[in-house]
Amino acid sequence: MILDTTDQKLLTLLQEDCKKTTKQYALSLGLSTTAVYERIKRLDREKVITNYVALVDKEKVNRNFTVLCHIKLIQHTKENVLRFEKQVQQLNEVAECIHVSGDYDYILTIHVKDMEAYREFMVHKLTAIDQIGSTQSSFVMNTVKKSTAVFI
């Protein structure tokens, strides 16, 4: 799908605040409400927009201790990879799991209450996944930049 400049501007507006009315987006873009409505429906239909979500303040829900955990699998067989990926998807503390190249196979972003909660997570949940050969954890000291937007 080819996105024109108006689509790109509309996506930027939606990523900033998807709770505005179609009329508000239309005013910002200088288009009719119907034209903006049809563009949004097309972006949804074509799966350019994949989801609408609420972003939660981790501190207010007591999950502001963030860990980046690098995972190395024991063996790189199709079965091990698929089994690991299925099991890690069941862990609520894991916000993101990405398969990467390099020294490690995966990087997990984990949100928990504190160091004690992370230790509990490691001991009782993560180490229960038997495809894991080794882990290395880094603890986030400060977030300098964070965005959920894909800038076009």
Side-chain angles (χ1 to χ4, degrees):
M1 176 177 180
I2 297 173
L3 301 176
D4 63 19
T5 305
T6 304
D7 287 330
Q8 293 174 16
K9 288 178 184 174
L10 178 56
L11 286 170
T12 298
L13 291 171
L14 287 166
Q15 289 178 115
E16 289 171 358
D17 183 359
C18 70
K19 288 187 73 173
K20 289 184 179 178
T21 66
T22 306
K23 184 177 181 180
Q24 289 173 303
Y25 297 127
L27 288 171
S28 295
L29 295 169
L31 297 174
S32 71
T33 304
T34 303
V36 170
Y37 175 82
E38 291 301 325
R39 281 180 182 266
I40 292 172
K41 287 298 166 200
R42 180 174 47 84
L43 293 167
D44 281 337
R45 188 175 55 250
E46 296 294 328
K47 306 284 189 229
V48 173
I49 298 171
T50 59
N51 212 350
Y52 294 89
V53 299
L55 302 177
V56 176
D57 184 331
K58 294 184 307 273
E59 190 170 336
K60 291 190 177 173
V61 295
N62 213 12
R63 297 288 182 272
N64 58 332
F65 189 77
T66 301
V67 182
L68 301 177
C69 183
H70 296 70
I71 304 284
K72 198 178 287 190
L73 297 182
I74 292 173
Q75 191 178 27
H76 295 96
T77 64
K78 179 180 178 181
E79 294 79 20
N80 272 354
V81 167
L82 294 176
R83 201 159 153 216
F84 168 78
E85 289 178 358
K86 184 177 180 182
Q87 289 178 340
V88 81
Q89 288 178 36
Q90 304 305 311
L91 302 174
N92 292 332
E93 295 86 350
V94 177
E96 184 175 38
C97 173
I98 54 176
H99 197 173
V100 296
S101 63
D103 292 337
Y104 290 91
D105 301 310
Y106 293 90
I107 301 174
L108 309 181
T109 303
I110 301 163
H111 301 300
V112 291
K113 178 182 176 183
D114 53 22
M115 180 63 82
E116 183 178 330
Y118 181 61
R119 183 182 185 287
E120 287 295 310
F121 168 78
M122 284 292 291
V123 170
H124 297 289
K125 294 184 179 181
L126 199 60
T127 59
I129 300 175
D130 55 358
Q131 292 79 31
I132 295 176
S134 66
T135 65
Q136 178 182 346
S137 300
S138 299
F139 307 102
V140 175
M141 297 184 332
N142 184 36
T143 301
V144 177
K145 180 181 179 183
K146 180 174 178 84
S147 175
T148 59
V150 176
F151 293 99
I152 302 170

